[in-house]
């Protein structure tokens, strides 16, 4: 990046640090900075968010969502390309300006750097499903019934979870239900709409949600809070065992998933 753009970016970041108070939960970017001088990665990140605003006319921190796949990205190929070209620049900035060669998983890195070809190849299907994902899937997934099994309630009591631990467990479990619901819903619509390319598009969606859920688990595990990850979360996260902490949970999780699928099916009875 040329020096002047970097300086412009610093300026924009300062504006953003002042005005963009609302940051999204579960975003693991470092936001340490000395007063008046943003850290290098904050500058790259700020520039990227400014470009997002310029390209899509909405504010990244408040109007962009990682779940479900954001309409800004999957609406059409042009959007995907704009988003990814600016994401590539962000990572070039992190490498070249900040010497950050190892960065944690992020949705944009997943889409634009690790799986761009797959997204690009399936963009027609993804863009056809987008409006259903944004509307009907969001309606269903925002209103699913989310419960915690009695067995896990008992286990929390046995292990003497603090109030805070209980509430983190409940929140994480909600989050996993929401993510799983969106994944199932998106795959369901793909099957209805994309006929020929359904298998390939489904796999793009599955790979994204799998990676997202793995990140959820890794974030908890890193803080040594493994036991706060519910059996349902384990059921939907690759490589995890739903019965790891509480025995005999398969049937309960089967019922939860069946209920979710039924809710989704009835929301889309119009498409049958
Ligand atoms: C799990 O279910 C099996 C079969 O129903 C039962 O024999 C076993 O005692 C259960 N284990 C626990 C820990 O509840
Ligand atoms: C859970 O569902 C799977 C299929 O999705 C089935 O094979 C399994 O037997 C079910 N297990 C229980 C305990 O209900």
């Amino acid at each position: 990046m040329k020096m002047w753009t970097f300086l412009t970016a610093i300026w924009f970041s300062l504006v953003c640090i002042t005005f963009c108070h609302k940051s999204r939960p579960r975003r693991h970017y470092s936001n340490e900075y000395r007063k008046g001088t943003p850290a290098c990665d904050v500058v790259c990140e700020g520039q990227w968010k400014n470009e997002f605003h310029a390209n899509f006319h909405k504010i990244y921190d408040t109007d962009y969502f990682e779940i479900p796949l954001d309409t800004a990205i999957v609406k059409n190929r042009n959007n995907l390309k704009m988003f990814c070209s600016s994401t590539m620049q962000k990572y070039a900035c992190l490498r070249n300006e900040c010497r950050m060669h190892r960065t944690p998983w992020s949705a944009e890195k997943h889409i634009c750097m690790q799986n761009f070809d797959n997204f690009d190849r399936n963009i027609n299907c993804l863009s056809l499903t987008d409006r259903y994902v944004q509307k009907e899937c969001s309606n269903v997934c925002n209103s699913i019934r989310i419960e915690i099994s009695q067995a896990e309630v008992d286990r929390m009591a046995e292990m003497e979870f603090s109030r805070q631990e209980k509430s983190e467990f409940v929140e994480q479990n909600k989050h996993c239900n929401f993510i799983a619901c969106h994944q199932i819903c998106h795959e369901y619509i793909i099957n209805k709409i994309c006929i020929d390319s359904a298998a390939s598009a489904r796999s793009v969606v599955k790979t994204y949600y799998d990676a997202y859920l793995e990140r959820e688990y890794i974030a908890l595990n890193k803080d040594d809070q493994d036991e706060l990850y519910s059996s349902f979360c384990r059921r939907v996260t690759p490589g995890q065992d739903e019965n790891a902490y509480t025995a005999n949970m398969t049937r309960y999780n089967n019922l939860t998933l069946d209920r979710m699928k039924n809710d989704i099916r009835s929301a889309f009875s119009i498409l049958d």
Side-chain angles (χ1 to χ4, degrees):
M1 201 183 350
K2 288 195 207 80
M3 200 54 192
W4 64 267
T5 30
F6 195 65
L7 290 175
T8 315
I10 290 182
W11 186 79
F12 274 120
S13 303
L14 286 173
V15 173
C16 193
I17 287 162
T18 316
F19 295 105
C20 311
H21 296 299
K22 219 168 151 180
S23 78
R24 300 166 59 73
R26 297 198 167 278
R27 190 155 276 290
H28 298 291
Y29 249 93
S30 149
N31 53 2
E32 290 168 35
Y33 55 92
R34 279 179 292 134
K35 229 178 165 65
T37 325
C40 188
D41 58 337
V42 176
V43 175
C44 301
E45 189 81 1
Q47 161 116 333
W48 179 69
K49 289 180 184 178
N50 289 324
E51 283 182 19
F52 183 87
H53 188 200
N55 287 335
F56 301 112
H57 312 289
K58 53 183 197 176
I59 297 172
Y60 179 83
D61 283 323
T62 51
D63 306 332
Y64 171 86
F65 293 93
E66 295 179 336
I67 306 285
L69 281 163
D70 199 279
T71 193
I73 303 174
V74 291
K75 196 176 178 74
N76 54 48
R77 173 168 279 114
N78 193 33
N79 279 22
L80 178 69
K81 286 198 163 152
M82 276 201 296
F83 179 77
C84 284
S85 134
S86 131
T87 297
M88 303 285 269
Q89 278 176 35
K90 169 168 87 170
Y91 281 93
C93 176
L94 291 173
R95 274 193 314 274
N96 302 334
E97 308 288 339
C98 315
R99 306 269 165 251
M100 287 176 67
H101 295 279
R102 299 184 51 182
T103 45
W105 188 89
S106 72
E108 61 275 13
K109 185 165 143 181
H110 175 97
I111 294 164
C112 299
M113 300 173 73
Q114 295 161 333
N115 296 278
F116 179 76
D117 288 345
N118 289 331
F119 274 85
D120 188 51
R121 228 176 276 134
N122 289 282
I123 193 66
N124 290 339
C125 167
L126 295 176
S127 104
L128 280 174
T129 56
D130 183 49
R131 70 187 180 94
Y132 299 103
V133 169
Q134 303 305 331
K135 184 151 183 285
E136 281 83 358
C137 289
S138 292
N139 288 345
V140 178
C141 296
N142 283 327
S143 58
I144 40 171
R145 187 153 54 95
I146 296 171
E147 289 173 354
I148 297 201
S149 64
Q150 190 56 43
E152 286 183 293
V153 172
D154 293 346
R155 185 175 69 86
M156 284 195 273
E158 247 166 57
M159 293 180 68
E160 300 182 340
F161 272 25
S162 66
R163 179 188 284 257
Q164 157 130 19
E165 284 171 329
K166 273 186 207 155
S167 104
E168 277 180 40
F169 184 97
V170 168
E171 282 310 309
Q172 182 66 54
N173 183 61
K174 268 190 209 162
H175 198 50
C176 291
N177 272 267
F178 180 76
I179 296 169
C181 176
H182 266 293
Q183 173 177 351
I184 295 170
C185 191
H186 201 162
E187 292 190 25
Y188 179 86
I189 305 171
I190 289 173
N191 283 345
K192 292 274 176 210
I193 293 186
C194 302
I195 321 293
D196 287 345
S197 56
S200 161
R202 259 197 338 262
S203 128
V204 172
V205 168
K206 177 170 168 40
T207 307
Y208 177 76
Y209 282 89
D210 280 354
Y212 198 95
L213 283 159
E214 278 174 329
R215 197 267 304 263
E216 293 292 299
Y217 174 72
I218 288 166
L220 267 185
N221 188 37
K222 205 173 65 195
D223 300 335
D224 245 344
Q225 297 193 305
D226 212 57
E227 74 278 6
L228 299 185
Y229 211 55
S230 73
S231 166
F232 181 82
C233 287
R234 285 171 204 278
R235 167 68 174 264
V236 293
T237 305
Q240 299 297 316
D241 171 9
E242 61 189 331
N243 299 314
Y245 280 80
T246 311
N248 289 341
M249 290 301 292
T250 306
R251 189 178 135 75
Y252 184 87
N253 291 332
N254 277 4
L255 293 175
T256 303
L257 286 166
D258 287 346
R259 200 169 60 222
M260 217 177 250
K261 287 174 195 162
N262 275 332
D263 288 353
I264 291 168
R265 215 173 289 133
S266 48
F268 285 101
S269 49
I270 40 159
L271 289 181
D272 283 328

